[in-house]
Structure formats: structure tokens, C-alpha cells
Amino acid sequence: MNYLKTKRVFFLLVAIISIALQSCGGVPEETPSTAASDKVFAVAEILTLIAEENDITRTLYTKGIVGAGKKQGLKFDEDWQDDDVEAGPLPALFLRGISSDIRKSDIPLGLYLGSDFPINASNKFQGKQAALFKKIKATQEPQHFFEEDQKLYTSMFADLAVAAPCVNCHNDHENTTKTDWKLGDVMGATTWQYPSDSLSYKEAIGVINAYRNGTKAIYNAYLKEISEFKIDSTKPTIGNKWPSKGFYLPTAETFVDSVRKLTSYKSLEKLLLADNVTEDKETEGLAAN
Ligand code: HEC
């Protein structure tokens, strides 16, 4: 049996159990300081893992909720939180909701969605990110770098026009700066930032949880908005059915559960198998012995 893999599984289980116990309030406050040797993941690995979860979440929301929901008469709007607007969040605002929920947590993870031809001028890439976005457009390859100004490790990933609603809505929008987006285009990029170059298991799981909690929070905010719609006939039935089946919306649990089913296997594999910092150090150590 592979010694390194066994050790990694052990560390991962310890981390999961300790986080579970802490969130139940079962363990006293004390958190041992993270020793350098516990920093088993390079930051780019974890930002890549979370960007992949985000792609799946975003596609599920865009196709399964916005795309299918519109056919049932659900509305989605920039001003979805206004009292007199009875609508849900657009995909970009769903993502911003996740991002602001993460910002409220104590996990120092940053998330931003930008473009070179944005609808909202404040989403236009500037400086180094604008230069690297050109590369992403050409190659669709992610870019990992250290943002000197903010002193943050940064990873940018292509945001693709994965579904017809992306293209149609952007081309037709009154504030659009480009009217010929096509399916499959790189419409923008998600920028992820973290303050250190490596993470422990516990920190990695903290990042994943912060992202997943953010998804749940913005989805719940949408359901709360619906509960305040004034006309009953505009309220879909909320349960375990999706809009593709009729005038329904999944509960937050059903939505998050679907995301988890699609992401967890891959994320866990990455946590277990990532070619990470410790392994390099240990291999060097073993070779020296
Ligand atoms: C129903 C309309 C609608 C749909 C569907 C939609 N968007 Fe957007 N998108 C917007 C609006 C409006 C904004 C600006 C939101 C804001 O104020 O930041 C935006 C923002 C963005 C941005 C940030 C840059 C900008 O344009 O401001 C990107 C990138 C983006 N969307 C890509 C996508 C992709 C990819 C999809 C499909 C997965 C998608 N959008 C689906 C309306 C839409």
C-alpha cells in the first residue's frame, strides 16, 4: 500500500472529522497553529478545484433554473432584489451573491467575474488581469500569478457561453458592449484570489465549504424573494422538482445536493491525489534516507 497515499487519507479524515466536530460545537475553541509541513496544497490546485465546482454550479443554475424557468414564466432580472421587481438573480448576480457571502465569512477567498466587453462597466478587467485575459481568450487556458498590487495569489479561468441564455441575453441587453456573442465563446473569466501560496487540508476544506455555503445563501435569498412576491400565481411550487417539469423550483437542499452529486467525487479525488507540496518534500526526504 502506498505510504504517502495512506498518510494523506489519514490527514484528510482527521481534517474532516475535526471540522465536523467544530461545527457541532463539540470541540473547544483551541486550534493548533498550522505548521509549514501541513501546507499540503499549492494555492493554484485549490483555486482550480473550486473553479471547477463553480463551473458546474453556474451551468446548473443557468440551464436548470434560468433557462428552464423562463420557459415556465419565471423572470430573472438585474434588479431582482427591488421590492417592485418579482424576479430571480441573473447568473452573474448569482455568482456575485456567492462572492459576497464568502466575503462575510472568515475565509480569505476572493471571487470576481470580469470581461473585456462587459454589460456592467465595473466588470471590465484592468491592468495585469486585462493583459492575461487576452491570453485566456486565445487559449482558454487558466492563468495563475501573483498580483503584486494586492499581494494576492490569483487564478483566472475562462467563463464560457455554455448555454443559449448566456448568448441571447448578453447580445440583446440594452447596455451590452458586444452584440455578436456565440455559443462556446469566452465571454469573461472568473478571478479567484487567496493570500498564501499553500494550504493545509483544513484550509482547503474551509475554502470548499465557504464556496458551498455561498451557493446555499444566494439560492436561499432567491427563495426568500419569491416568498415575498405579491401575486400568488407568480410563485412556483418549491419542492424536489425542477422547472423542466413544470412551474416548480427545487428547494435549496435539492439544488445544493445536485451540485454536490456532480462535484464531490472529482473534488475528493483531487484532494486525495493532488500532486502536492508535501509529496515533493517527503519524496526528497525519503530519497535522502
Ligand atoms: C438574462 C440575462 C443574462 C443571462 C442569461 C446571462 N447573463 Fe451574464 N450578465 C448579465 C448582466 C445583466 C450582467 C451584468 C451584471 C452586473 O451588473 O454585474 C452580466 C454579467 C456577466 C459577466 C461579467 C461581465 C459583464 O458583462 O458585466 C460575464 C462574464 C457574464 N455575464 C457571462 C455570462 C455567461 C457565461 C452566462 C451563461 C452561463 C451568462 N452571462 C448568462 C445578463 C445575463
Side-chain angles (χ1 to χ4, degrees), residues 3-241:
Y3 161 75
L4 292 175
K5 194 169 170 192
T6 315
K7 190 172 172 191
R8 198 170 293 160
V9 172
F10 173 74
F11 267 129
L12 182 63
L13 289 176
V14 169
I16 293 172
I17 292 165
S18 72
I19 288 165
L21 286 174
Q22 274 175 25
S23 54
C24 305
V27 156
E29 271 304 283
E30 170 247 339
T31 7
S33 67
T34 316
S37 62
D38 292 341
K39 299 273 189 178
V40 287
F41 297 106
V43 63
E45 285 177 331
I46 296 304
L47 296 182
T48 302
L49 182 159
I50 208 70
E52 282 169 1
E53 289 218 353
N54 179 58
D55 274 346
I56 290 172
T57 308
R58 186 157 160 72
T59 306
L60 196 65
Y61 184 73
T62 308
K63 288 189 179 169
I65 305 290
V66 179
K70 276 184 153 180
K71 292 191 184 135
Q72 303 295 340
L74 289 173
K75 298 203 167 40
F76 298 87
D77 197 285
E78 275 120 281
D79 301 319
W80 68 282
Q81 280 175 312
D82 287 3
D83 285 348
D84 53 348
V85 177
E86 305 213 323
L90 295 174
L93 301 179
F94 192 79
L95 188 132
R96 191 178 299 155
I98 298 176
S99 157
S100 50
D101 191 72
I102 297 172
R103 213 173 308 126
K104 280 185 247 158
S105 78
D106 52 9
I107 304 296
L109 172 71
L111 166 58
Y112 169 81
L113 179 65
S115 176
D116 51 353
F117 291 104
I119 289 180
N120 182 335
S122 70
N123 298 334
K124 193 168 164 89
F125 284 127
Q126 310 286 344
K128 191 163 181 183
Q129 292 193 27
L132 288 172
F133 181 61
K134 290 207 176 98
K135 274 198 187 168
I136 295 177
K137 271 207 126 158
T139 64
Q140 299 199 5
E141 290 295 320
Q143 299 293 321
H144 307 285
F145 57 101
F146 183 65
E147 177 91 72
E148 282 292 341
D149 302 344
Q150 297 162 284
K151 300 272 175 272
L152 289 170
Y153 293 86
T154 305
S155 295
M156 291 173 76
F157 301 86
D159 189 47
L160 299 173
V162 287
C166 314
V167 169
N168 298 338
C169 183
H170 276 250
N171 285 342
D172 297 344
H173 196 278
E174 56 177 357
N175 297 333
T176 194
T177 47
K178 180 173 158 70
T179 54
D180 57 353
W181 292 111
K182 296 183 301 298
L183 216 55
D185 276 353
V186 178
M187 293 181 72
T190 47
T191 300
W192 299 82
Q193 296 185 304
Y194 197 79
S196 65
D197 66 349
S198 51
L199 288 82
S200 65
Y201 271 118
K202 196 173 167 189
E203 287 164 338
I205 288 169
V207 163
I208 298 172
N209 278 339
Y211 177 80
R212 291 181 173 186
N213 290 341
T215 306
K216 206 166 182 179
I218 178 67
Y219 193 87
N220 271 324
Y222 173 32
L223 294 184
K224 179 165 178 288
E225 195 71 18
I226 291 178
S227 72
E228 288 157 10
F229 284 2
K230 290 180 193 80
I231 309 162
D232 275 346
S233 63
T234 62
K235 297 182 184 180
T237 307
I238 294 160
N240 58 7
K241 291 205 182 94

